[in-house]
Amino acid sequence: MGSQEFSWKRACILAGACIALVIGSGFATGQELVQYFTAYGLGGLAVVAIFAIVFIYYNINFARVGAREQYEVGNQVFQHFCGKKLGTFFDYYSTMFCYMSFFVMIGGAASTLQQGFGLPSWVGGALVCAIVVAIVCLGLSKLVDIIGIIGPIKIAFFVVIGLVVLCMDWQQLPAGLEAVNTGTLAAATAEEGMVKAGDNWLISGLSYAGFVLLWFASFMTLLGAKNDRKSLSAGIVIATAVICLAIVVIYCAQLANINTGSDGVYVWNAPIPNLILADKVWPPLSVVYSVVVFVGICATAVPLLYNPAARFAKEGTRKFRLLTLGLGVAGLVIGLFVPYRTLVNVVYVINGYIGAVLLVFMVARNLRDFVAKRRAVKGLTPARPAAGRGADGDFEDPAIEG
């Protein structure tokens, strides 16, 4: 385990790593924000609130379990919360989901360089694949240090762009809200409309928190095993506050410019809507924005490729490096041949619901542990928490944390 002394520096680095994982291609390009927040008008604020509460809750849980159990494989946390059979399902499913999310990063990189520089899609995809494979081969510690620095830089850049756009166009917010609520979107046909993550803001909020949950389960569990718990907890709270601030700023900027664009490509339907915002601030800035988005995609793609590689091979071995390379190339091929908007909507939304199911099991486990502690305090039972189901299907009772 890492140092047990609290460190603000370490907390900020860990916060940066959390930010880098959340701020992936969907967030950086703005496509994710349109589908999960902007499409709901003022309801987008409720989505932000739901995400913040759930995000802190499950990451603190993962970190606590990782610190206590000292798992060598982060996906073991699923059996802790769900028992052997369901835990095994979530283990393999989350691994598959992280890998599918890697496809989204490839698609985002390809779309970014294509819309920003007019480059063939395979160029952006191949470049991000090569960078990510190289970083993953360095191992978890180097991975966290690298993306922990990139995360705060890229989110600060996005927030600044959003703030500048809001200062320019805040008076257009009412009109933007009206356009979203009534469906009066520029150049939209009767069959067209904004792509939404769910039927309402509640479903969208749970889905958004849910799909990010599956990203963080293994990653945060391993961080909990290797870092001071207080530093990691502080990092989680810092990351949540910064991410939510960025979401609100950018989603408001999108609302104010929902019908901004030309030639049939507007904020509401563009593959990379935030490029339109950057271009509005200053046309050359869209080029810089494309580069920052690309770097951000790389940072998020790293742990998403690391998870499946580390699940089936020991870090640092030749098998691990070969598996990383093979998974990277296969993900590149898939990411280039499936439309980006389809990747974001299908992969994120469906898997968000699966993550929400896991959240139910986490809450149930926490409630069982709480009841067991209360009964122990009253002298009704031994001081041991309610546990997940073991190999035989019966509940096991691991020693309770002090």
Side-chain angles (χ1 to χ4, degrees), residues 17-246:
C18 293
I19 291 169
L21 185 51
V22 174
I23 311 301
S25 67
F27 190 111
T29 61
Q31 184 60 233
E32 178 182 304
L33 299 185
V34 166
Q35 296 188 24
Y36 279 92
F37 302 93
T38 309
Y40 300 95
L42 283 178
L45 294 176
V47 179
V48 174
I50 293 171
F51 164 73
I53 294 169
V54 177
F55 185 75
I56 291 176
Y57 168 75
Y58 63 63
N59 277 313
I60 293 292
N61 262 277
F62 290 140
R64 175 179 58 81
V65 174
R68 186 177 72 195
E69 303 295 339
Q70 292 293 292
Y71 291 134
E72 292 186 4
V73 177
N75 283 17
Q76 290 175 287
V77 74
F78 295 117
Q79 293 193 23
H80 173 86
F81 286 111
C82 305
K84 184 175 178 60
K85 293 181 180 179
L86 280 174
T88 299
F89 164 77
F90 277 110
D91 174 2
Y92 285 100
Y93 186 86
S94 68
T95 300
M96 179 180 69
F97 170 56
C98 283
Y99 186 48
M100 289 191 295
S101 298
F102 175 71
F103 306 161
V104 178
M105 300 304 122
I106 294 293
S111 296
T112 297
L113 294 193
Q114 185 175 51
Q115 185 174 327
F117 299 98
L119 297 174
S121 60
W122 67 266
V123 174
L127 188 56
V128 74
C129 180
I131 293 172
V132 170
V133 167
I135 295 176
V136 170
C137 288
L138 294 176
L140 182 65
S141 296
K142 290 291 185 182
L143 179 159
V144 171
D145 290 340
I146 292 172
I147 68 175
I149 294 173
I150 294 175
I153 295 174
K154 65 179 182 178
I155 201 169
F157 182 81
F158 300 147
V159 169
V160 169
I161 295 295
L163 286 173
V164 172
V165 172
L166 274 180
C167 288
M168 295 169 56
D169 303 323
W170 63 269
Q171 68 274 16
Q172 296 176 194
L173 270 172
L177 281 170
E178 180 68 17
V180 170
N181 292 334
T182 60
T184 53
L185 304 169
T189 64
E191 295 77 23
E192 284 186 302
M194 296 183 70
V195 178
K196 294 184 177 182
D199 292 335
N200 55 63
W201 55 261
L202 177 60
I203 293 176
S204 180
L206 291 175
S207 176
Y208 192 70
F211 89 74
V212 180
L213 183 155
L214 291 176
W215 282 4
F216 274 87
S218 175
F219 186 62
M220 191 58 65
T221 299
L222 290 178
L223 290 183
K226 298 182 180 182
N227 291 274
D228 165 52
R229 185 169 159 184
K230 291 183 178 179
S231 298
L232 182 53
S233 296
I236 291 169
V237 174
I238 293 170
T240 305
V242 173
I243 291 167
C244 289
L245 172 64

Side-chain angles (χ1 to χ4, degrees), residues 309-390:
R311 176 63 184 81
F312 298 106
K314 184 176 177 58
E315 180 185 312
T317 63
R318 183 171 182 269
K319 179 182 178 181
F320 177 82
R321 291 189 289 271
L322 289 175
L323 182 59
T324 298
L325 177 59
L327 290 173
V329 172
L332 169 64
V333 173
I334 296 172
L336 289 178
F337 284 94
V338 179
Y340 180 57
R341 291 182 74 193
T342 301
L343 279 172
V344 172
N345 189 254
V346 174
V347 173
Y348 283 8
V349 173
I350 292 178
N351 289 284
Y353 298 144
I354 301 297
V357 172
L358 174 59
L359 183 63
V360 172
F361 281 96
M362 293 180 68
V363 172
R365 173 63 192 255
N366 287 161
L367 289 175
R368 292 199 305 269
D369 287 353
F370 176 76
V371 171
K373 288 181 181 181
R374 296 291 295 175
R375 290 176 62 85
V377 169
K378 295 179 180 180
L380 298 177
T381 58
R384 298 165 70 84
R389 295 184 181 275

Side-chain angles (χ1 to χ4, degrees), residues 293-307:
V293 169
F294 182 83
V295 173
I297 290 173
C298 291
T300 300
V302 168
L304 296 178
L305 183 59
Y306 174 86
N307 183 284

